[in-house]
Amino acid sequence: MADKRMTADEVAAEIRDGMTIGIGGWGSRRKPMALVRALLRTPVRDLTVVSYGGPDVGLLCAAGKVRRVVFGFVTLDSIPFDPWFGRARETGAIEVTEYDEGMFGAALSAAAQRLPFLPMRAGLGSEVMRANPGLRTVRSPYADGEELVAVPAQELDVALVHLNRADARGNAQYLGPDPYFDDLFCLAAKKRFVSVEKVVGTAELTAGGPVQSLLLNRSAVDGVVAAPRGAHFTTAVPDYGRDERFQKHYVDSAKDLDAWPGFVDRFLSGDERTYLSEVDKFEAEAA
Amino acid sequence: MSATRAEIAVVAVAELFRGDGEIVASPMGLIPSLGAKLARLTFEPDLLLSDGEAYLVDENGVVEGWQPFRKMLDTIVPHGRRHVVMGANQIDRYGNQNISAIGDHARPKKQLLGVRGAPGNTANHRTSYWVPRHSKRVFVDAVDVVSGVGYDNAAKAGLKFHDVHRVVTNLGVFDFATPDHTMRAVSLHPGVTAAEVAQASGFEIDCGGAPVSREPTAEELRLIREVLDPKGLGDKEVPS
């Protein structure tokens, strides 16, 4: 019986230059930030990042680890724009594949179902078709003959997601209201790593929430990382909400190239324990 | 008790949903949210309201349904029983909308949100827009990055469910019910002139014969001021 527990640094060490990594969550919600922070501490580069983007995308761009972003949006929700993603786009530092939100989900679904593509209407007539000249359309073989977008499967080398609870074998549970697309990210990936607020005994999973909250079964998970506050500063309700004060500090620092090295030194150059203790000090100073 | 410009706009947004019945209203932002709630509390009691997260809620905030983002994109949007009111950083005469980036997509001058759900919304169900500051920066000759699809591009792409309904701004209400589907005024808010609209638009908008936008009823004003927006946040977004 496999015990799949590992550390965030062990997960990060699995990621190689040039890989395509999918990051779960949505905007500034339930992002696997502890895993992202571990990735920032590695020398890895040239990543293709596939994300309903939030600060995960911004931080990876800031660290120069990104070659391409596959996205439908990048937002911090309560703050509309991520400064580092904006800077990376406006300086031409990264390439992008920009999709409609639904197309993005269809691309993961196609990969999860081992299909080469899924048809849909979203994207037709929009910049999505012009900006992605490799996109093809497909004509319905039935009487309607409608022409649709053939959204290509988005396969992933690695998926990183953050949930609320898991057992050591990789059965994983979300306790908030929205599963986002985390199960699809895992099904679309060759290697799947889940960080959680707390690793618990299997019986505690269904004691803590309805069976429908068990989003991932262990066949879709290769590694489990115990990462309390591992989504900080994004939300991981009901364990905690977004740290709006810290998010604003991130944005203010990211907007100011003179301030940014100080943010990196204080919060990102040490390990996760240092990060969380510096966040606690920051909160105490600000209170 | 005369209505403020913001209150006129809230009623104009509410009117977007008239006749929609039992469908999901998805308002983005403050004034659209106030408008959708007002419609539900008055003439469209069957509207389904999203809280912007995973819940459908009634007028008292009681949860009546589950609509996480994936369900929204897999089924609600393609199924078509939805009416979204989105924002627009740019919009053109055919209703093409941009929320993605300013400048060339390959190397934007200013990165915005990304196309988000706009291509899918405009391909699948009724879509309206809310613009709090009607100006030449927003009402442009051609948008830089087509996010929401306008009538000209929809025709070329053969989008059979395309339905860009109306644009509500701080100056008036506009639709595309002309022979070539270019924007025209449905109504101008009290005190707004056709010259003012022309001054604020980067393309010609036919305002000929457009009536004055309707005033809220006494009951609508009461609902806006006492129930929906007691702090008057709408007046901050749309000064009178």
Side-chain angles (χ1 to χ4, degrees):
Chain A
M1 199 173 292
D3 183 338
K4 295 176 186 163
R5 283 177 290 181
M6 54 199 293
T7 68
D9 289 320
E10 286 168 345
V11 169
E14 298 261 344
I15 296 171
R16 310 264 175 253
D17 289 356
M19 274 189 171
T20 296
I21 63 167
I23 303 180
W26 174 279
S28 192
R29 305 167 199 225
R30 220 176 66 213
K31 284 290 174 178
M33 297 297 280
L35 300 182
V36 170
R37 285 187 285 267
L39 195 50
L40 295 177
R41 295 191 290 268
T42 71
V44 77
R45 50 196 291 275
D46 282 336
L47 297 175
T48 292
V49 176
V50 180
S51 178
Y52 284 110
D56 51 332
V57 173
L59 284 167
L60 290 167
C61 285
K65 300 204 170 294
V66 181
R67 187 180 61 201
R68 173 177 292 273
V69 179
V70 181
F71 75 111
F73 58 79
V74 176
T75 182
L76 305 177
D77 296 322
S78 55
I79 299 175
F81 304 133
D82 180 284
W84 270 112
F85 177 66
R87 187 173 288 128
R89 285 283 281 137
E90 291 154 23
T91 58
I94 57 168
E95 297 168 24
V96 294
T97 298
E98 180 161 2
Y99 281 157
D100 164 84
E101 293 170 6
M103 290 177 76
F104 185 108
L108 292 177
S109 287
Q113 295 170 44
R114 303 188 299 173
L115 289 170
F117 69 90
L118 281 169
M120 69 188 314
R121 293 193 181 86
L124 291 170
S126 78
E127 178 79 14
V128 166
M129 302 305 287
R130 205 182 68 79
N132 302 294
L135 273 182
R136 294 287 176 263
T137 57
V138 62
R139 195 168 288 284
S140 164
Y142 298 104
D144 58 281
E146 187 175 353
E147 190 174 45
L148 300 161
V149 185
V151 182
Q154 178 63 63
E155 292 170 355
L156 306 170
D157 292 310
V158 172
L160 306 176
V161 303
H162 185 81
L163 272 66
N164 300 93
R165 303 284 180 274
D167 66 14
R169 305 170 74 187
N171 296 300
Q173 176 180 41
Y174 74 106
L175 295 172
D178 201 318
Y180 308 117
F181 292 65
D182 287 4
D183 50 335
L184 276 187
F185 276 100
C186 289
L187 291 170
K190 295 189 190 90
K191 285 270 183 107
R192 301 73 47 95
F193 300 106
V194 181
S195 60
V196 290
E197 291 299 314
K198 195 175 177 193
V199 176
V200 298
T202 304
E204 281 183 63
L205 294 171
T206 44
V211 71
Q212 298 95 314
S213 63
L214 298 179
L215 187 65
L216 301 171
N217 72 57
R218 56 194 164 80
S219 76
V221 173
D222 296 293
V224 175
V225 177
R229 294 163 77 194
H232 184 272
F233 47 89
T234 72
T235 67
V237 288
D239 291 309
Y240 47 85
R242 183 179 301 123
D243 185 341
E244 299 288 358
R245 180 150 54 197
F246 191 86
Q247 175 161 286
K248 184 172 183 307
H249 182 58
Y250 160 68
V251 168
D252 290 344
S253 305
K255 278 182 180 168
D256 179 355
L257 285 175
D258 292 329
W260 182 249
F263 183 93
V264 173
D265 281 350
R266 179 170 183 189
F267 295 107
L268 302 177
S269 54
D271 60 11
E272 183 72 4
R273 185 187 300 257
T274 308
Y275 172 81
L276 291 175
S277 79
E278 287 301 318
V279 168
D280 287 340
K281 281 185 217 159
F282 169 82
E283 299 292 351
E285 289 158 16
Chain B
M1 189 165 76
S2 73
T4 66
R5 183 65 63 84
E7 289 161 348
I8 297 282
V10 169
V11 169
V13 172
E15 285 288 342
L16 298 175
F17 298 106
R18 189 178 284 278
D20 277 353
E22 206 160 47
I23 70 162
V24 176
S26 292
M28 312 289 172
L30 174 67
I31 298 279
S33 295
L34 294 172
K37 286 178 188 162
L38 183 66
R40 167 139 181 173
L41 284 170
T42 55
F43 52 82
E44 282 299 324
D46 290 336
L47 276 184
L48 294 158
L49 290 180
S50 160
D51 73 338
E53 304 274 341
Y55 300 112
L56 293 169
V57 290
D58 75 4
E59 64 274 24
N60 299 313
V62 173
V63 174
E64 64 166 326
W66 184 55
Q67 188 182 272
F69 289 116
R70 177 145 153 220
K71 193 165 163 178
M72 170 73 81
L73 296 177
D74 281 355
T75 53
I76 307 291
V77 168
H79 189 62
R81 294 184 56 76
R82 178 173 187 244
H83 183 172
V84 66
V85 183
M86 303 187 83
N89 297 95
Q90 295 178 323
I91 194 162
D92 71 15
R93 75 195 69 208
Y94 296 106
N96 293 290
Q97 167 248 29
N98 175 19
I99 51 172
S100 172
I102 300 297
D104 181 19
H105 185 268
R107 179 76 182 267
K109 283 205 275 289
K110 172 70 181 163
Q111 172 66 36
L112 304 171
L113 284 175
V115 296
R116 295 221 66 155
N121 292 342
T122 45
N124 286 298
H125 57 65
R126 180 164 277 193
T127 302
S128 296
Y129 297 107
W130 159 245
V131 177
R133 274 174 294 282
H134 191 133
S135 71
K136 284 185 173 168
R137 274 181 66 160
V138 179
F139 284 69
V140 294
D141 187 49
V143 304
D144 293 341
V145 177
V146 175
S147 308
V149 179
Y151 280 90
D152 53 344
N153 284 312
K156 279 184 233 161
L159 289 177
K160 61 185 186 183
F161 300 119
H162 181 262
D163 181 12
V164 172
H165 183 50
R166 285 180 177 181
V167 183
V168 178
T169 80
N170 59 321
L171 299 184
V173 180
F174 307 87
D175 72 6
F176 303 88
T178 53
D180 59 351
H181 292 296
T182 52
M183 199 184 289
R184 64 156 197 186
V186 174
S187 68
L188 301 183
H189 299 333
V192 175
T193 63
E196 195 176 347
V197 172
Q199 183 70 32
S201 306
F203 53 88
E204 200 178 319
I205 299 176
D206 180 8
C207 293
V212 178
S213 304
R214 84 167 172 87
E215 300 264 351
T217 65
E219 173 62 3
E220 285 170 339
L221 264 191
R222 186 192 71 77
L223 286 168
I224 294 170
R225 292 179 181 179
E226 294 178 17
V227 179
L228 298 175
D229 187 22
K231 291 181 179 161
L233 298 176
D235 293 324
K236 291 193 178 122
E237 182 167 327
V238 185
S240 282

